[in-house]
């Protein structure tokens, strides 16, 4: 019971943070059987300054600069090292047109971005409402500046940087709900969804066996497992692949279903199943048994997009921790392995 009370308190803290637009958000569950309307054309990227920016589920995860993904956070550097954070000025971020996607459909052009201008988590070290208000088409709840996109902010804004932690932006054709974020917002004109994308197709015994094999290889003692699959043409060769997200199941209250007697540990696993039915591990993370509940985490899918329009699809996921979390993008490198190329951090 003690554990449950502590976790409930932490969840309440995270929920409180949601009021500031910076918290863990509910997993979006797509309707079974929904199919994407196709990938669309892969136009050359020709924006004036040659950079693209990516907001995944509202969080600025990073950018594409000279054809290379740049992460908003470099997790290899310590917390107190300034170089850990890539700095993005508001002027550079919002002087572009943006397009939005849901996880399973293209939403088209975005005409508004709502920015929290208050002080505190997800906002600034000191309030900036008066700074943004003159350039906003309207204010929401007194502390969200709604900028028209693209927005030519004056030179001063080149020196105002996006908050490094918990920075969320609602980007939409018209922002109506400050707690809703598109799965992807970007100014990259070549970004697209996979052809034939379908979420939640169910899974096969072969999939289950592949999950078991990956976990046994990692030496993981695991229990109740949630599995979600997505299928589509993820490498643009006209054939269908699947991506399998597997993780420790949670009960209705959000507590991980781990059997302490068996020393089961939490895990998050992403597998890629090629059209030749070979499985590879894209991502695996394992935790500790039930003894330290504050080290528990869950991994959720955020989307599968070709972010740079090169025909190879990136996988976006989020990690929900005790009182914080991160949103990250996995991309296949030249050697064929999967790297985490962009990350954002959020929480309280
Ligand atoms: Ca394919
Ligand atoms: Ca790509």
């Amino acid at each position: 019971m003690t554990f449950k009370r502590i976790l409930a308190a932490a969840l309440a803290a995270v929920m409180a943070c949601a009021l500031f637009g910076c918290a863990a958000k509910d997993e979006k569950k797509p309707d079974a059987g929904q199919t994407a309307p196709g990938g669309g054309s892969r136009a050359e990227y020709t924006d004036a300054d040659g950079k693209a920016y990516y907001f995944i589920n509202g969080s600025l995860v990073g950018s594409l600069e000279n054809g290379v993904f740049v992460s908003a956070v470099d997790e290899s550097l310590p917390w107190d090292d300034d170089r850990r954070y890539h700095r993005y000025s508001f002027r550079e971020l919002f002087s572009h047109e943006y397009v939005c996607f849901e996880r399973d459909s293209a939403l088209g052009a975005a005409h508004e971005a709502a920015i929290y201008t208050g002080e505190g988590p997800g906002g600034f070290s000191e309030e900036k409402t008066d700074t943004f208000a003159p350039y906003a088409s309207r204010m929401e709840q007194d502390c969200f500046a709604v900028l028209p996109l693209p927005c030519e902010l004056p030179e001063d804004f080149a020196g105002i940087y996006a908050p490094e932690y918990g920075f969320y932006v609602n980007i939409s054709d018209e922002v109506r709900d400050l707690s809703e974020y598109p799965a992807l917002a970007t100014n990259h004109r070549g970004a697209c969804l996979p052809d034939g994308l379908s979420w939640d197709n169910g899974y096969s015994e072969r999939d289950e066996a592949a999950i078991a094999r990956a976990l046994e290889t990692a030496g993981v003692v695991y229990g109740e497992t949630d599995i979600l699959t997505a299928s589509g043409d993820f490498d643009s060769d006209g054939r269908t692949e699947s991506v399998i997200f597997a993780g420790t199941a949670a009960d209705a209250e959000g507590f991980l279903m781990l059997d302490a007697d068996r020393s089961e540990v939490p895990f998050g696993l992403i597998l890629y199943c090629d059209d030749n039915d070979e499985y590879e591990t894209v991502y695996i993370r394992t935790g500790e048994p039930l003894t330290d509940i504050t080290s528990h985490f869950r991994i959720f899918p955020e989307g599968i997009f070709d972010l740079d329009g090169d025909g190879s699809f990136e996988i976006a996921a989020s990690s929900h921790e005790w009182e914080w979390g991160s949103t990250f993008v996995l991309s296949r490198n030249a050697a064929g392995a999967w790297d985490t190329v962009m990350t954002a951090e959020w929480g309280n």
Side-chain angles (χ1 to χ4, degrees):
M1 284 309 288
T2 310
F3 282 151
K4 281 205 168 187
R5 272 207 307 279
I6 293 168
L7 183 56
L11 287 173
V14 169
M15 290 309 291
C17 193
L19 297 171
F20 300 98
C22 65
K25 287 155 288 177
D26 293 336
E27 180 193 8
K28 285 179 187 159
K29 290 197 170 64
D31 296 334
Q34 277 192 341
T35 304
S41 63
R42 298 196 174 88
E44 281 291 301
Y45 180 64
T46 55
D47 208 81
D49 65 2
K51 289 186 190 175
Y53 307 97
Y54 301 104
F55 292 85
I56 302 280
N57 198 8
S59 294
L60 175 61
V61 293
S63 50
L64 184 73
E65 305 190 9
N66 301 316
V68 177
F69 289 118
V70 175
S71 183
V73 178
D74 180 349
E75 292 176 296
S76 68
L77 294 169
W79 289 93
D80 55 357
D81 190 328
D82 283 346
R83 294 168 304 162
R84 181 179 168 89
Y85 305 99
H86 191 81
R87 298 212 293 179
Y88 296 96
S89 77
F90 280 94
R91 197 162 192 265
E92 70 167 307
L93 285 174
F94 297 108
S95 64
H96 310 277
E97 294 177 343
Y98 273 79
V99 290
C100 291
F101 297 84
E102 277 303 0
R103 203 157 70 174
D104 49 16
S105 61
L107 299 174
H111 299 113
E112 292 188 334
I115 294 155
Y116 176 59
T117 57
E119 185 186 320
F124 298 89
S125 53
E126 53 186 46
E127 186 172 319
K128 295 220 180 288
T129 304
D130 292 345
T131 309
F132 279 88
Y135 306 98
S137 51
R138 65 181 189 281
M139 296 298 292
E140 292 276 355
Q141 296 177 10
D142 297 332
C143 56
F144 285 87
V146 180
L147 300 178
L149 290 176
C151 186
E152 290 301 330
L153 292 167
E155 198 61 48
D156 321 357
F157 282 80
I160 302 177
Y161 297 100
E164 293 150 348
Y165 188 79
F167 177 54
Y168 282 114
V169 181
N170 309 64
I171 296 178
S172 173
D173 58 336
E174 184 186 345
V175 175
R176 295 186 193 89
D177 185 340
L178 292 169
S179 66
E180 280 192 2
Y181 309 88
L184 167 67
T186 181
N187 62 320
H188 197 306
R189 295 169 202 167
C192 61
L193 291 165
D195 284 330
L197 176 65
S198 174
W199 283 89
D200 201 7
N201 301 303
Y203 50 89
S204 66
E205 285 182 11
R206 285 193 78 244
D207 294 340
E208 283 187 292
I211 293 167
R213 218 163 36 239
L215 293 173
E216 278 155 22
T217 302
V220 177
V221 180
Y222 62 100
E224 290 282 324
T225 300
D226 280 341
I227 302 170
L228 177 70
T229 62
S231 64
D233 184 3
F234 299 132
D235 56 6
S236 307
D237 67 351
R239 296 195 295 270
T240 300
E241 294 78 35
S242 59
V243 175
I244 301 162
F245 299 87
T248 307
D251 64 21
E253 290 175 291
F255 298 102
L256 294 185
M257 297 167 73
L258 295 171
D259 184 344
D261 293 337
R262 293 189 64 234
S263 292
E264 291 172 356
V265 303
F267 75 93
L269 174 69
I270 304 174
L271 297 179
Y272 185 93
C273 180
D274 209 346
D275 54 43
N276 62 6
D277 281 347
E278 297 225 337
Y279 294 84
E280 60 182 307
T281 298
V282 173
Y283 172 92
I284 184 166
R285 180 173 161 202
T286 63
E288 298 297 316
L290 199 61
T291 46
D292 181 6
I293 199 164
T294 64
S295 68
H296 284 184
F297 62 88
R298 295 189 79 195
I299 305 296
F300 293 112
E302 295 292 348
I304 302 174
F305 310 99
D306 184 2
L307 296 175
D308 56 350
D310 69 348
S312 177
F313 283 75
E314 285 71 45
I315 299 171
S318 57
S319 172
H320 296 240
E321 316 282 333
W322 175 244
E323 287 187 307
W324 67 285
S326 61
T327 302
F328 55 95
V329 172
L330 299 147
S331 180
R332 197 189 281 282
N333 65 27
W338 291 85
D339 293 329
T340 302
V341 291
M342 294 189 282
T343 303
E345 293 174 328
W346 38 263
N348 55 349

